[in-house]
């Protein structure tokens, strides 16, 4: 389940960089029945460099930050470029992000529960059901497809877009260009 803060930040990341593929790390918790709640996200990249040394640094920083918030690193999200372009859909987990998911899985307890969320651009703006696709890490591969419940409707996406709030979101790429920018977005409230 994606809680409102996480959902809003994912949508904001895509709205801020509609011409770029965007990705980020998901922070959350598992309950006693292993039900996952994604509480927050840390926007990472809009440059597309999935396995760069900067990704490694971001993973370590995110893991440390999650523990200070009594959360854990539970997965990552990915949205392909060209927001709103019809037919730009993702029907399978992109291989570079599967490799990142393997790295994230090393930080997740219990092991084998890291999640990759891939959002279909067309459905992001229309809030169509089924456009938010999830895969869960599995050993042995392949990844298992999972259902994803989002906490955002079309009206909330429109309000977010009209308010311009998405322009305030800082991702790790922004932080690398200007270290004074805080990519954890502590000021962000729903």
């Amino acid at each position: 389940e994606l809680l409102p803060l996480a959902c809003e930040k994912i949508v904001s990341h895509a709205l801020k960089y509609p011409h770029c593929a965007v990705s980020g790390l998901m922070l959350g918790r598992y309950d006693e029945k292993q039900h996952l709640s994604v509480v927050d996200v840390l926007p990472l990249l809009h440059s597309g460099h999935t396995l760069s040394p900067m990704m490694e640094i971001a993973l370590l920083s995110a893991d440390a930050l999650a523990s200070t918030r009594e959360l854990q690193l539970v997965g990552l999200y990915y949205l392909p470029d060209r927001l709103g372009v019809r037919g730009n859909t993702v029907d399978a987990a992109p291989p570079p992000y599967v490799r990142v998911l393997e790295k994230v899985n090393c930080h997740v307890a219990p092991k084998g529960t890291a999640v990759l969320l891939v959002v279909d651009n067309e459905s992001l703006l229309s809030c169509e059901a089924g456009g938010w696709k999830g895969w869960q890490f599995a050993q042995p591969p392949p990844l298992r497809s999972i259902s994803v419940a989002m906490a955002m409707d079309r009206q909330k996406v429109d309000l977010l877009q009209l308010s311009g709030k998405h322009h305030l979101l800082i991702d790790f790429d922004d932080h690398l260009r200007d270290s004074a920018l805080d990519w954890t977005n502590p000021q962000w409230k729903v």
Side-chain angles (χ1 to χ4, degrees), residues 27-45:
L27 307 178
R29 61 179 62 95
Y30 288 90
D31 65 17
E32 60 282 344
K33 295 180 181 177
Q34 296 307 309
H35 175 262
L36 173 62
S37 292
V38 177
V39 176
D40 197 358
V41 299
L42 297 173
L44 279 180
L45 308 172

Side-chain angles (χ1 to χ4, degrees), residues 30 34 36 72 74 105 108-115 136-137 144:
Y30 288 90
Q34 296 307 309
L36 173 62
Q72 63 188 106
V74 295
N105 194 60
V108 176
K111 300 292 186 232
T113 57
V115 172
Q136 191 165 37
F137 191 83
R144 291 182 311 180

Side-chain angles (χ1 to χ4, degrees), residues 46-188:
H46 63 269
S47 63
H49 305 297
T50 56
L51 292 176
S52 70
M54 294 303 111
M55 175 64 93
E56 296 286 337
I57 292 168
L59 281 170
L60 293 172
S61 298
D63 194 36
L65 178 70
S67 65
T68 66
R69 295 183 182 176
E70 297 183 7
L71 298 170
Q72 63 188 106
L73 183 56
V74 295
L76 67 149
Y77 67 86
Y78 166 75
L79 291 85
D81 58 356
R82 302 179 329 179
L83 179 62
V85 174
R86 287 188 135 337
N88 191 19
T89 62
V90 177
D91 294 320
Y97 287 90
V98 173
R99 289 191 294 277
V100 176
L101 186 64
E102 290 169 356
K103 291 184 178 292
V104 170
N105 194 60
C106 295
H107 298 272
V108 176
K111 300 292 186 232
T113 57
V115 172
L116 172 61
L117 174 67
V118 179
V119 182
D120 172 10
N121 281 327
E122 190 174 331
S123 66
L124 176 71
L125 294 179
S126 66
C127 294
E128 292 172 16
W132 294 58
K133 299 172 182 150
W135 288 274
Q136 191 165 37
F137 191 83
Q139 277 298 56
L143 301 178
R144 291 182 311 180
S145 179
I146 59 172
S147 63
V148 179
M150 68 179 268
M152 210 162 190
D153 60 21
R154 177 67 199 182
Q155 183 180 9
K156 288 179 185 173
V157 171
D158 288 345
L159 287 173
L160 183 63
Q161 198 167 16
L162 289 172
S163 73
K165 183 179 178 182
H166 59 283
H167 293 293
L168 303 175
L169 189 84
I170 307 300
D171 68 10
F172 194 68
D173 276 342
D174 297 327
H175 172 73
L176 291 174
R177 285 183 191 80
D178 180 354
S179 62
L181 299 175
D182 187 349
W183 69 289
T184 66
N185 296 285
Q187 79 291 353
W188 201 275

